[in-house]
Amino acid sequence: MDDNAQPHRILAVEELLESEDITRMDWPAYSPDLNPVEHVWDALGRRTAARLHHPENTQKLKQMLIEEWALIPQEMLHQLDLSMRRRCEANNAVRGEHIPY
């Protein structure tokens, strides 16, 4: 995923993509609906907030996040993966496939 962030545009990344014959897909900046990990972070945040006991320190928060991460249903991740084609097609329909951002 390339959201035009500066680290994605450095020469080393450009050269790697070219050497692997990877074509960039234009991707609008600030597009959380098109970034699958944003949906996972949201689910993790909701699961953590729903706990009865909130962490008292960063070590307990880390442990809570690890526990909740392991409990995220694989089916949710699978459905998120399946939805990406539809999301990208909807984005392209609105923005145009050939229009650079």
Side-chain angles (χ1 to χ4, degrees):
M1 183 183 151
D2 179 350
D3 60 0
N4 298 316
Q6 187 176 5
H8 301 157
R9 296 295 174 173
I10 63 172
L11 183 58
V13 171
E14 299 286 343
E15 289 173 349
L16 174 67
L17 294 176
E18 186 176 318
S19 72
E20 297 294 324
D21 198 29
I22 297 172
T23 304
R24 287 185 194 267
M25 176 181 168
D26 288 328
W27 208 267
Y30 308 110
S31 54
D33 284 348
L34 295 178
N35 187 344
V37 76
E38 294 299 333
H39 297 275
V40 179
W41 290 134
D42 180 61
L44 182 63
R46 283 184 280 113
R47 294 179 67 90
T48 303
R51 284 199 170 198
L52 296 176
H53 302 288
H54 296 286
E56 298 141 14
N57 56 49
T58 55
Q59 184 59 33
K60 290 184 180 182
L61 173 61
K62 179 180 176 181
Q63 184 59 40
M64 181 184 293
L65 292 170
I66 290 169
E67 291 168 8
E68 290 299 337
W69 182 267
L71 294 173
I72 291 177
Q74 289 299 303
E75 180 60 22
M76 183 197 97
L77 302 176
H78 179 68
Q79 290 301 318
L80 182 58
D81 179 51
L82 291 177
S83 73
M84 289 310 297
R85 176 181 292 274
R86 177 184 48 80
R87 292 170 193 271
C88 291
E89 287 171 350
N91 178 68
N92 288 339
V94 172
R95 308 270 313 210
E97 290 187 65
H98 63 286
I99 300 171
Y101 297 102

